[in-house]
Amino acid sequence: MGTVPVPSPAEELVLIDRELAQLEARRSWLLARRAWLVSVSTARSPWVAAAPGPKDPGPVREASVWGVRTVLLTLGGVLLVIAALAFTLVSWGSLGIGGRAAVLTAVTVAALAVPVTLVRRGLGATAETVAALALVLTVLDALALYLVAEPWAWGGTGYAAVAAALLCAVWAGYGAALAGLRVPLPSAVVAGQLPVLLGVLAADGDASAVAWALLVTGAADAALAVTVRPVRVRVAAWVAAGVTGGGAVLTGASVSVAAGGVEPAALLAAGAVLWLAVAWRVGGVAARACAVVAGLVAVAAWGGLLREVLPGEWAAVGHLACAVALIAAVGVGPGARVVPVAVRRGLAWASSGVLGLGLLGAVPWLLGALVVRVPELWSGVAPSGSGGPWPAVVAVLLVAGVLLSASVVGARAGGPKGWGCAVAARCGALGLGALTGFVLPVAAGSPYGVMLGAQSLVTAALLAVAVRPGVVVVGLPEAPGTAGTGTGAGRAAAAGTGAGCAVAAASALVALGLATETATLSVLGVLGVLFTGAAVSAGGERGWLRAGSACAAVLAWAGFVGAGAVAAGRPAHGVALALLVVPGATALLGMGVPPARAPSKARGRFRLGPAGAPVELTGAAVGVVSVGLAVARPAVLALVLGLCGVLAAGTALRVERRRVAGPVAAALFLAATWVRLAVWEVAVPEAYALPVAVPALVVGALRVRRDPAVGSWSAYGPGLGAGLLPSLWAAWGDPGWVRPLLLGLVALGVTLAGARLRLRAPLVLGGAVLALVASHELAPYVAQVVGVLPRWLPPALAGVLLLAVGATYERRMRDVRRMREAVGRMR
């Protein structure tokens, strides 16, 4: 037998390329076939056979029939609710409130009966909409009854409590009778939150009584949540229990902090029992969360009792003792065997959190030297040092020494964990040492200038550690088996600690330097130099440090420019123009433009690399501040917006920034134009909005024609927004009737067009504009034009129309589903 020849690498490469080309051709054909099948499956008659799918699948139908149905039914229900409100509260007519109450009651009974028929016919979504409308009508019935009967003996709050209880019972019974409806039972849960609370308020209960009412309601909600089966009712009950129970706890805590006493402590203890019972019942993550709340509330209750017998300065110690007692109760002894694991873990987390907060609260005691208040801005009065609590400084030094000792012990212990503990100890010692250096001149009562100088040196030292973090881990032997990875991790941790402490120190230094103009400018200038140096000196392996330092430098220089402009006597709009230097500089740095006299070899030296985007974003934030400062002067605001648009357009010249900077530049130019038009007192926005909206819609249509997969929000959203929203804004305060009427007709046409074409953008935008116009402008002015129709009739007719269209959609969906099932049963 002869041997099979082995192809050469070049021949094998040709064979592989040929196979890949065949696979790509097959993939393209399958994708085209899939797109055609999708379009056929969404057509009105999907069972009708058709020719093989064309290459162009046709325009994409964004909104499904279910989505269109939901929008139409929701919008119709909203319009009917608006009409009912107008009928009850606004349109008095000749019926009087009694006649309107009778009519409204009859309509309510009919609305409650209609869902029964709709559910039997399979129109569930329409039934849900009508049922929701019926529930709103029952609320209006209660309001009309109050206006007719005027039960002044109960008072408005007492009547509301009784009405809420009756509505809860009626809705619960209605939902139980029609189990297929999803709205009534959760609505009954919501209504059930009001009777007890309103009853307490009607009886002039104090804050403690309100808290007890909320707690009782929350307990009832929790009991309901753990006993009922429907998921929607359980979710509503859990949410209600969280809101009412949380409100009770917060109210009780506020009363305990303000007045103290046994009653707030008892309230908090009852709340802790409630949350603990819920945690015991539910299990899992929810059990841990509820146990955390129960632990915190229990510590607050016990600590409140201890505060009655302990001195004021020992109140925090009492809370810490309660947290320790809670950990001991659930962590050792019989409690560890009885309490479920999830509950025990949540209580332990709560106790640990209280202990952590207690330690953080003790830091000001240890650092009592740092009691210098932030001076009044440029008051000229320099703050002086406190002169004293040296024991706090000594305590800090001792803690730093202990941490350093721990680092040595960890290094000797060996192993990755011990080495990591040593690095953490040294990082902690670094932070405490920096804090000591920051506090020391204040505690020593040094002059203002000396304090600023010393704290500037501390900030510089921290930035130096962040840039060169090896000094923190020097002398620590590498753990066996880590192959150098431990040193890199230690340097990264030290760099992060140094950078974080430097930011904190710089923030405190800026706050301290607000006393005088000279101090403010000096501090901001020094910080700008320090962070600029850190950005330049940061190594490439820590890009986050370079980016963060560069952003901090931008903020410091922006503050320096703004403070300098204010010190020079410039008004706010003058400061805004001065601040534009900062985004201009960051834009140039992002483009990598060197100085004009720099040699050609230096070009590209000033590029920021990965830090370019954060620096440009920081500069853009300064530009936003500049725009805010210029708001008071519209003419200057237009100039500032135009200059910002120029900067954005210059940034858009770069390919990697064009996608974001281009639209931003267009928006800024448009905003500048609008502001300028406002300065010129132009009062007709349509003359300027429509010339923008029409071309935008044409461009969107051409884009869809070229690429059918483009979404309607991208294609038609900008044009529709530019055409409808300015007119809506103008119609909101227009005393005439022409603009609201025309806008309503256009919005109705856009809505129907979106429903017909199943496009989301025109459906949502048109429907929203139609609802707003109908609710605020259209109904009153159409009534004035017609002269005989009540104001509630037009939105009511529109709502009925939309409900009918939505029901038609649902009925057609049901018919199509039945036809598909029938065809599927055929052989």
Side-chain angles (χ1 to χ4, degrees), residues 417 466 594 757:
K417 294 183 178 179
L757 300 176

Side-chain angles (χ1 to χ4, degrees), residues 33-415:
R33 182 67 179 177
R34 180 186 180 280
W36 175 78
L37 291 174
V38 170
S39 64
V40 170
S41 64
T42 57
R44 177 176 297 180
S45 301
W47 52 84
V48 179
K55 295 183 179 180
D56 186 4
V60 177
R61 302 292 187 181
E62 284 184 328
S64 64
V65 290
W66 289 270
V68 173
R69 176 209 62 188
T70 302
V71 171
L72 292 176
L73 292 177
T74 302
L75 186 58
V78 169
L79 291 176
L80 287 177
V81 169
I82 293 173
L85 286 172
F87 174 78
T88 306
L89 302 176
V90 180
S91 182
W92 293 92
S94 59
L95 293 178
I97 187 62
R100 289 201 309 277
V103 174
L104 193 61
T105 301
V107 174
T108 303
V109 173
L112 290 172
V114 166
V116 179
T117 304
L118 293 177
V119 169
R120 291 176 180 175
R121 295 186 178 182
L123 301 178
T126 308
E128 293 285 353
T129 303
V130 178
L133 175 62
L135 298 184
V136 175
L137 290 176
T138 57
V139 177
L140 295 179
D141 287 334
L143 177 60
L145 180 60
Y146 176 79
L147 296 177
V148 172
E150 297 182 354
W152 303 118
W154 292 354
T157 307
Y159 178 81
V162 176
L166 293 177
L167 289 176
C168 177
V170 171
W171 293 353
Y174 186 68
L178 294 179
L181 296 179
R182 295 188 296 267
V183 175
L185 290 179
S187 301
V189 174
V190 175
Q193 310 307 306
L194 300 177
V196 178
L197 177 61
L198 293 177
V200 171
L201 293 177
D204 296 330
D206 56 1
S208 180
V210 170
W212 280 108
L214 291 174
L215 186 63
V216 170
T217 305
D221 293 331
L224 179 65
V226 298
T227 55
V228 297
R229 289 186 178 182
V231 176
R232 59 184 180 275
V233 183
R234 287 207 308 268
V235 171
W238 279 125
V239 173
V243 173
T244 54
V249 168
L250 292 177
T251 305
S254 63
V255 174
S256 177
V257 172
V262 178
E263 186 178 0
L267 174 64
L268 291 175
V273 171
L274 170 62
W275 286 101
L276 184 62
V278 173
W280 210 294
R281 178 68 171 79
V282 294
V285 178
R288 289 195 291 271
C290 294
V292 168
V293 178
L296 295 176
V297 176
V299 170
W302 298 340
L305 290 177
L306 290 178
R307 192 174 57 187
E308 295 295 319
V309 297
L310 293 176
E313 61 272 12
W314 290 90
V317 180
H319 285 83
L320 294 180
C322 294
V324 173
L326 182 60
I327 290 180
V330 300
V332 297
R337 296 189 298 269
V338 175
V339 181
V341 176
V343 177
R344 188 166 65 247
R345 187 171 299 174
L347 294 176
W349 288 353
S351 302
S352 302
V354 172
L355 291 175
L357 291 176
L359 294 177
L360 290 178
V363 169
W365 291 1
L366 294 176
L367 304 178
L370 194 61
V371 294
V372 177
R373 297 180 179 179
V374 177
E376 187 177 353
L377 180 62
W378 291 0
S379 62
V381 180
S384 60
S386 61
W390 291 105
V393 178
V394 174
V396 171
L397 294 175
L398 289 176
V399 173
V402 171
L403 290 176
L404 288 174
S405 301
S407 68
V408 176
V409 173
R412 290 178 179 176

Side-chain angles (χ1 to χ4, degrees), residues 71 248 380 494 754 762 780 786 803:
V71 171
V786 177
L803 279 180

Side-chain angles (χ1 to χ4, degrees), residues 651-664 703:
T651 304
L653 295 176
R654 297 154 54 196
V655 178
E656 70 276 12
R657 299 283 190 264
R658 186 170 301 163
R659 185 174 182 179
V660 175
V664 171
R703 185 181 179 187

Side-chain angles (χ1 to χ4, degrees), residues 658-679:
R658 186 170 301 163
R659 185 174 182 179
V660 175
V664 171
L668 288 172
F669 285 135
L670 182 61
T673 302
W674 273 86
V675 173
R676 176 54 59 183
L677 292 175
V679 173

